[in-house]
Amino acid sequence: MEKEATLLTVEAIINAPLEKTWNYWTQPEHIIHWCFASVDWHAPSATNDLKVGGKSNTRMEAKDGSVGFDFEGEYTEVVNHELIAYKLADERTVRIEFLAEGNTTKIIERFVAELENPLEMQQQGWQAILNNFKKYTETH
């Protein structure tokens, strides 16, 4: 019997306008500065072809070189300044909403959990990356 997919959600309010938030989320020159879950990791490279059928790839590695992986997906839906949806290489789906709230932007990210790691660990990891994004965007 197949285990049913679990949908997890992380969110944050970014103290930046929607256009800046969108650009920092989608442009590789910014992605490399925030797309990792802890200070002992980094993202040495990123590519992003933001269109339906386009692909994104962010290389995430431990700074000591001990481990790393490519976080990659193919876009299934893109609505400029509103929504990004994609399918990961392992077929799981991710949906990210960008909601303008005055001079702030709310990001709601929903993703199908993988089966190898505990749900709490996955939720914390994705939230940590989103928190890195918030910090980077608000301080640059």
Side-chain angles (χ1 to χ4, degrees), residues 69-92:
F69 63 94
D70 289 325
F71 185 80
E72 55 190 337
E74 182 174 327
Y75 293 108
T76 56
E77 190 175 358
V78 176
V79 180
N80 198 34
H81 296 132
E82 291 180 28
L83 173 74
I84 297 171
Y86 57 94
K87 185 178 285 191
L88 295 167
D90 65 5
E91 299 296 312
R92 294 181 300 126

Side-chain angles (χ1 to χ4, degrees), residues 86-133:
Y86 57 94
K87 185 178 285 191
L88 295 167
D90 65 5
E91 299 296 312
R92 294 181 300 126
T93 57
V94 180
R95 184 177 181 87
I96 308 157
E97 295 175 69
F98 296 79
L99 307 168
E101 297 180 347
N103 206 32
T104 66
T105 306
K106 184 173 188 176
I107 296 177
I108 304 169
E109 192 172 7
R110 294 178 178 90
F111 61 98
V112 174
E114 41 95 347
L115 303 175
E116 290 78 40
N117 293 295
L119 296 178
E120 183 177 323
M121 182 177 142
Q122 294 179 63
Q123 178 113 25
Q124 289 172 349
W126 285 61
Q127 186 68 55
I129 293 169
L130 184 54
N131 292 347
N132 274 354
F133 173 77

Side-chain angles (χ1 to χ4, degrees), residues 36-44 60-68 132:
F36 41 89
S38 65
V39 297
D40 53 340
W41 279 67
H42 67 148
M60 297 180 184
E61 295 179 352
K63 287 181 180 175
D64 68 6
S66 62
V67 67
N132 274 354

